[in-house]
Amino acid sequence: MKLARFSAPTAAAVLLGLTTVVGPGAVDASAVSGTPLPIAHFAHMVVDAPHGHLFISGGAGTDGILVTDLDGANPTTIDGEPGATGLALSGDGSTLYAALPGQDAIAAISAEDLTESARYGTGAGTGPDSLAVAGGTLWFGYGTAGAGGIGSVAGDGTVTLRRDSGSWSAAPTLATTPAPSGVLAAAAQTGTTSAFVTYRAEGGTLTRRAARELPVPDLGDFAVTADGQHLAVSSWADASADRYRTSDLAVDGRFAVPVAARAVAVAPDGTLAGCGCNGYAFETFPETGGGFYDEYEYGSSLRLPAHGLAWSPDGSRLYAVGVDASGGTPTLHVAREPETARVRLGGGPATTPLAPGEAYSFRVGFDSPLPLDAGQSMMPGTVRITRHDDADPDGVLITDATATRATAADFFGSYHVTGTAPLSGPLGFGVDYSGSGHYGPAGRTFDVPVAKYAPTMTVTAPATAGRAAPMTITGKLTWPHAHVTTGAVHVVRTDLAHPSGYSAGTVPVSADGGFTFHDTPGTGGANTYAFGYDGGTSYLPVKTSATVQVSRTTPGLSVTTDAKTYRSGATVKVTAHLGTTYDSRSVTLYGMPAGGTRVRLRSGEVDAHGNLVASYKVSRNTVFSAAFTGDGRYAPRTVTAGVTLTPTVRTATRHPLSTTRVGSTTYQVFYKSETDMGYDVQVTPRQSGGCLTVYVEHYWSGAWHPTTSQRCVPLYGDGEYGYGRALKLFTSNDHYRVRGHYTPPADGAWTGGAWTGWTYLTVRPRQPLVGRRGRRPLRRAVQGPVSRVREPVGGARPMRG
């Protein structure tokens, strides 16, 4: 494939909005069929159109010259021409000359009956190789590595060597114009460069015109242009588009493309064949200007060898030989109409698909590897565009197409057609280009899909609006291109009063697709507006919606209880009171116990006084809530009120030996011989967390004074706590009292806090005598028993007997 050096027209076609585009850089190479040749190797090729022959030599190792017809078919062999290399036709085309380097001779063969008519010896060790007929004389390059020269064969068969006064490092390759002339050029590689000499051949003499070393490190082939003014030199290693003047071998302009292949050939009308691409293809191109006519790929791993190109005299065919990497398996390829540039048609509607009745814009443009000549403003030739639809299935000629001349963005010009898509059925276009000059004809059909499709619809609505206040919602229908103004938008509103929705009217669609809807919502809350475009006659329906939160009045709502604190199991009377509303009087009462799940206590309409009453037995702190779901004019609302559960706290002293009364107060009597005084507390209901603080006070000077305390110690998991204090720390016969305070956990408390009552005690100096040895029987304090005693966490250890 070609390199993308001609990519600009592709970009230009994209700018035109063409849906199918082929730019010169993307033009596919033409494939040429190959015919295997029955020879092992390839050396040279000559076209003899008048006699219908194609002569092909194979070089060393072959025993004849292959002859085919002009299609490469019907092969035969001219035997007895061993190792033939260079070939040339006489000026009148009657004689084929063949160089036989292994025979040190040149054979003359009748082009008509294919028999050898003469053989000219060139001298021992001369090894003639390259032939050219110029100025009526046959010239040949001869020699070996290190020594070469140019010789001639006169009309009478006289062979003369050393016709050039200069010296050659090897047998030079010769070239002349495609039609008989007096221009001759010779070249031989001299290392990293090649030596070139041009001559004037006239009257059997050879006169040097110019000699120069050219930067060609891999000389394979070169050719003289049809007018004899320039040389085209092929090089794979250092490809160049430079033209060298035959008069002085100076660079004189550039060919249309670089001559990068291993072979180059010139047609009698000046067209060149070579390749500016790669070795696996060949091109045809004009001498100057830009671009090329066509590119041909071998379609296999074959490549172009030196001298592998030859033109027919009328330029209607180009013959090319391909060989494999080792130079074997020669294959003949014939390119027909090689001087006609391919033309592609690209384009189509600017956008697809089209809706019925929708306007279209159709543009068709040209693409070719050969640019327009200077001064041309449109691809030459005529263009016919026909439209096909149900009304004209055979097509109707479009006569009003607008021609757009070539510009920097549109290299070949284009044609623009506008119209309207049919209301039903298919739509298609046929484009036929006649071709002209070097541009070939082209044709193409374009099918345009016509079908209803859905435009895009968007709406813009306010997030909030006031009830009974005017409000506007705007919308927009968007099409990918010009559209038909058709159809309307239907609006359905859904609100609290109309949960199934109802029609809010129909609004027209303007030419630009816009529409406006006005409303004054009478119902508060979420108002959802569904907009449905019906599509009219040309489009599919489409829907969208918007929700507006319409304002509502906040109703009066409260929830109260008949008390703020309760004991476990108590019944709470919960009352919800609802103020003025519109059309709903329903309230729901809930209870949420601490650490539990919410329960519904009662739902229903409030009474004539606006009240709804429920009852609930509490076992923990509880939050009560009243919920009003709202109506068309009053907003939903929820209010709460909490109550606190007062826990049950039981206390007991451990190991008092007796009691005594001081006035109306009973004291627990301890003796210092008992060692410790114990004070136990139990809290119900049990809950995780919480702590107990114990306060001890001493009575003296007529008042109670704090003497010690145990600050906020966690209870056991069963809700108990035991406090102990050494009796020796108490003053004998003085009066003391002790009490505790329960503090619930900071988070998730089930109850409130609670104080115990005071327990009074006194301590005697010694233990009285008893009826038996040992401890006196325990007596529990009147405040209540303790089920068991446990080691407190972080507090005093309980007293033991």
Side-chain angles (χ1 to χ4, degrees), residues 239-568:
S240 171
D242 289 341
R243 295 193 313 170
Y244 299 99
R245 274 196 305 259
T246 54
S247 61
D248 57 6
L249 290 176
V251 175
D252 181 29
R254 298 176 63 82
F255 291 108
V257 299
V259 186
R262 294 177 174 85
V264 61
V266 177
D269 64 357
T271 302
L272 279 79
C275 189
C277 46
N278 56 56
Y280 302 96
F282 55 93
E283 291 174 330
T284 57
F285 52 92
E287 181 174 344
T288 58
F292 56 95
Y293 296 123
D294 212 338
E295 180 183 80
Y296 305 88
E297 285 188 342
Y298 288 117
S300 65
S301 60
L302 300 180
R303 62 188 63 187
L304 186 66
H307 316 300
L309 295 170
W311 286 91
S312 64
D314 60 359
S316 64
R317 293 187 179 192
L318 175 65
Y319 297 90
V321 171
V323 297
D324 61 21
S326 65
T329 64
T331 304
L332 177 67
H333 302 265
V334 182
R336 292 168 173 81
E337 298 185 0
E339 296 184 12
T340 300
R342 287 175 298 145
V343 175
R344 297 283 182 88
L345 298 174
T351 51
T352 56
L354 294 174
E358 196 169 65
Y360 63 79
S361 175
F362 177 81
R363 184 182 291 266
V364 61
F366 305 94
D367 180 50
S368 175
L370 182 68
L372 296 178
D373 291 337
Q376 286 183 303
S377 59
M378 180 67 73
M379 179 74 82
T382 59
V383 174
R384 288 173 51 89
I385 303 176
T386 54
R387 168 177 162 149
H388 302 263
D389 53 28
D390 280 350
D392 297 288
D394 295 328
V396 58
L397 182 65
I398 295 176
T399 60
D400 58 352
T402 302
T404 301
R405 295 185 178 277
T407 65
D410 183 1
F411 291 167
F412 301 99
S414 57
Y415 290 86
H416 186 199
V417 177
T418 58
T420 302
L423 295 179
S424 63
L427 174 64
F429 296 91
V431 181
D432 293 288
Y433 168 61
S434 65
S436 179
H438 287 289
Y439 295 98
R444 186 173 175 188
T445 59
F446 301 88
D447 292 324
V448 182
V450 179
K452 290 184 176 182
Y453 63 89
T456 300
M457 182 165 62
T458 58
V459 294
T460 302
T464 60
R467 193 184 66 79
M471 176 195 66
T472 299
I473 298 176
T474 60
K476 182 78 172 181
L477 287 162
T478 304
W479 290 265
H481 40 71
H483 61 280
V484 179
T485 302
T486 182
V489 174
H490 308 275
V491 186
V492 174
R493 181 173 66 189
T494 303
D495 55 30
L496 293 175
H498 309 86
S500 298
Y502 70 98
S503 175
T506 299
V507 293
V509 179
S510 63
D512 66 354
F515 57 89
T516 303
F517 173 72
H518 302 284
D519 192 31
T520 303
T523 301
N527 281 234
T528 298
Y529 297 86
F531 295 87
Y533 172 60
D534 58 22
T537 60
S538 299
Y539 302 101
L540 296 176
V542 62
K543 295 181 179 180
T544 191
S545 64
T547 299
V548 180
Q549 293 294 335
V550 179
S551 64
R552 289 185 281 180
T553 303
T554 301
L557 182 65
S558 64
V559 60
T560 58
T561 58
D562 55 348
K564 292 298 181 182
T565 60
Y566 297 87
R567 292 286 182 178
S568 180

Side-chain angles (χ1 to χ4, degrees), residues 57-83:
S57 62
T62 61
D63 190 41
I65 298 172
L66 178 65
V67 184
T68 72
D69 61 21
L70 296 180
D71 292 322
N74 301 313
T76 187
T77 301
I78 302 174
D79 295 326
E81 309 295 341

